[in-house]
Amino acid sequence: MNILCIVAHPDDTEILCAGTLIRYIQAGHAVTIAIFTDGSMGDAVIEPAVLKNIRAKEARAAADLIGANLVWGDVIDEHVFPDAAQRIKMIDILRKADPDIIFTHSPNDYHPDHRYVSQLVFDAYFQKGLPHIPNQQMPACRFGKARVYYMDNLGGIGFSPAEYVDISDVFELKKQMLACHKSQFEAMKDLADTNLFDMIEVQARFRGMAAGCRYAEAFTRLDAFQRGLTSRILP
């Protein structure tokens, strides 16, 4: 299968979905990590033009660590909007990945970039398979019944999981992926008084407690027309 994780920022994947992606790769599936923005606004000191390049390299290193494909959307960080231009970009990202499964942000997550990426995925879903959408760079992919899963919210706030993935055996590799995003550890400490390793440890342990394992990632499935609702497909 083709697995796509489409997120707003570099490191969103590692925080919320990396363990599940690792399990898919270990099972022989193809994984694409698509990052919609350039991450350029995520530091109070480093200039955006410099930070953009740093974060692109960090994202590449994290994807390479597990053998995932990387797609770089290059929208300016903090400037995601569900408008026509960005829908065109999202359609092309979906077409490039031709996914059987799509992971993305929950519609009620705390950050507007997260929420609007989620909205753009929803809006572009059918159009990825329609060959006559104007101004697209990529040819239409399969129209198929790709499953869409929403990732946990940061801190689990306002999120009621419907399905869990046991990531106990791959949690250390998830941490290694997150460690590739070196620029964010100091920035998150300064801006939000947050230690990223502590954050993923607490959340994965809490979700694991509910799921009956050591560490877990939590998801809800988008139940909508022609989204493939007849079977569980998570690892």
Side-chain angles (χ1 to χ4, degrees), residues 3 5 12-13 31 41 48 58-59 111 133 164 175 206 213 223:
I3 315 300
C5 181
D12 286 342
T13 295
V31 168
M41 301 294 169
E58 292 172 345
H111 196 296
I133 301 296
Y164 299 84
K175 288 176 64 177
F206 177 73
C213 58
D223 289 341

Side-chain angles (χ1 to χ4, degrees), residues 17-231:
C17 194
T20 300
L21 300 184
I22 293 165
R23 288 200 55 186
Y24 274 119
I25 284 178
Q26 290 179 342
H29 302 291
V31 168
T32 296
I33 297 171
I35 301 169
F36 203 64
T37 79
D38 60 10
S40 61
M41 301 294 169
D43 194 284
V45 178
I46 302 173
E47 292 293 325
V50 175
L51 186 60
K52 170 182 174 176
N53 291 329
I54 291 172
R55 301 206 70 188
K57 290 177 182 178
E58 292 172 345
R60 173 65 64 187
D64 287 348
L65 192 63
I66 62 169
N69 301 312
L70 181 70
V71 175
W72 191 250
D74 209 31
V75 172
I76 298 173
D77 190 9
E78 307 291 335
H79 288 72
V80 179
F81 301 100
D83 58 23
Q86 293 191 23
R87 187 190 293 190
I88 287 171
K89 183 179 289 287
M90 182 61 77
I91 293 169
D92 276 334
I93 288 173
L94 297 183
R95 288 178 172 187
K96 185 177 181 67
D98 190 16
D100 296 286
I101 303 173
I102 301 168
F103 294 99
T104 193
H105 296 287
S106 174
N108 70 332
D109 205 348
Y110 83 106
H111 196 296
D113 283 356
H114 293 194
R115 296 196 303 271
Y116 291 144
V117 163
S118 180
Q119 182 66 50
L120 286 163
V121 169
F122 185 93
D123 294 345
Y125 179 90
F126 276 116
Q127 294 172 354
K128 67 183 172 59
L130 299 175
H132 303 302
I133 301 296
N135 303 315
Q136 300 300 145
Q137 300 300 309
M138 295 292 297
C141 65
R142 293 173 296 163
F143 192 76
K145 299 177 181 178
R147 278 80 160 181
V148 178
Y149 285 90
Y150 293 132
M151 304 179 299
D152 209 346
N153 290 339
L154 290 184
I157 297 171
F159 192 86
S160 298
E163 298 189 44
Y164 299 84
V165 174
D166 183 348
I167 62 166
S168 303
D169 292 342
V170 299
F171 185 71
E172 289 304 314
L173 185 51
K174 172 185 170 89
K175 288 176 64 177
Q176 291 175 37
M177 290 180 68
L178 182 59
C180 292
H181 297 273
K182 296 177 182 178
S183 69
Q184 289 308 285
F185 279 81
E186 185 172 349
M188 287 295 291
K189 181 63 177 177
D190 291 344
L191 294 173
D193 193 25
T194 298
N195 180 293
L196 290 178
F197 282 147
D198 287 349
M199 183 171 69
I200 66 168
E201 171 89 25
V202 169
Q203 190 150 348
R205 184 70 189 97
F206 177 73
R207 293 309 190 192
M209 185 184 303
C213 58
R214 179 65 181 173
Y215 295 116
E217 290 171 343
F219 303 93
T220 59
R221 186 179 67 184
L222 170 59
D223 289 341
F225 180 61
Q226 293 194 344
R227 288 335 196 247
L229 307 180
T230 57
S231 63

